[in-house]
Amino acid sequence: MQRLRGLFRGWLQGWLQRRMPASAEVRLGHRQIFILPTRAGLGLLALLAALLVAAINYQNSLVYALTFLLFSLFWVTLHHSWRNLAGMQLRSGGVAPVFCGEQAALSLWLDAGSRARSALRLGWQSQQRLTLDVAAGEPRAATLYLQTTRRGWLYPERLRVETRWPLGWFVAWSLVDLDWQVL
């Protein structure tokens, strides 16, 4: 099982490297954003399926209307979750050298463009994520901290940028490689 997991991780890293290569500046678009329903979203889909079965069984027009209204809200939420990340620009800043065992402070600039971005979460898989909002037309600086464990050059893994905005039914995310190097 461990061997299969290792093969899958290797294949996934290669695929991500071909799809989203490392660069100092990234603009999120169709190819960089992934989206899936959360547990709450899957629960809503199960509820909608049960409501649809009840509406069909009892021929109740009001239940039909409620089911299709909630499904349309679900569908619109999908698009709003994706749009919260689409078009956002991320740019890596400078990094000061640190000693082994300290936390490296990695600076990042976020530019929302013409739309405000709400409830963005930034961070790595193994650490606490930073939550912030970015106003329209005003680039915002953020500092992320990464624990160092060895001496020499440190190349951080891909940064996860995600949002569950507006209703938490979907999680839209991107794995961004911003070409940081820490000594």
Side-chain angles (χ1 to χ4, degrees):
M1 193 63 168
Q2 292 290 354
R3 184 175 173 179
L4 285 176
R5 194 173 289 152
L7 287 173
F8 177 72
R9 282 188 185 147
W11 174 83
L12 181 64
Q13 291 301 321
W15 180 77
L16 283 172
Q17 188 61 32
R18 287 188 305 273
R19 189 174 179 96
M20 297 179 284
S23 66
E25 191 170 322
V26 174
R27 184 176 194 87
L28 298 179
H30 288 15
R31 295 179 57 85
Q32 291 89 10
I33 299 173
F34 307 101
I35 189 165
L36 283 174
T38 60
R39 281 186 185 183
L42 292 174
L44 179 68
L45 281 177
L47 174 70
L48 290 175
L51 281 174
L52 185 62
V53 167
I56 291 170
N57 188 35
Y58 294 110
Q59 292 295 312
N60 191 333
S61 299
L62 190 58
V63 178
Y64 275 119
L66 177 66
T67 303
F68 293 128
L69 177 73
L70 285 175
F71 183 75
S72 64
L73 183 63
F74 182 79
W75 192 254
V76 169
T77 302
L78 169 88
H79 292 287
H80 280 284
S81 295
W82 179 83
R83 279 191 56 170
N84 197 33
L85 286 183
M88 191 172 68
Q89 192 165 356
L90 294 96
R91 188 171 20 122
S92 62
V95 180
V98 296
F99 290 104
C100 182
E102 292 181 346
Q103 288 191 350
L106 299 132
S107 62
L108 172 71
W109 285 93
L110 298 126
D111 188 6
S114 60
R115 286 191 313 261
R117 314 300 170 142
S118 300
L120 298 175
R121 294 180 67 205
L122 308 165
W124 289 277
Q125 298 292 345
S126 60
Q127 296 188 351
Q128 185 72 20
R129 294 200 176 107
L130 173 69
T131 303
L132 52 90
D133 296 335
V134 181
E138 296 176 15
R140 179 170 179 179
T143 303
L144 301 169
Y145 296 96
L146 182 64
Q147 185 68 37
T148 58
T149 57
R150 61 179 177 81
R151 296 178 61 190
W153 287 105
L154 171 69
Y155 301 98
E157 61 188 31
R158 290 180 175 268
L159 177 71
R160 183 176 169 108
V161 181
E162 73 175 34
T163 185
R164 294 171 189 255
W165 186 83
L167 297 176
W169 292 341
F170 291 96
V171 57
W173 79 94
S174 182
L175 296 171
V176 179
D177 193 356
L178 286 174
D179 223 5
W180 275 310
Q181 298 177 2
V182 181
L183 181 61

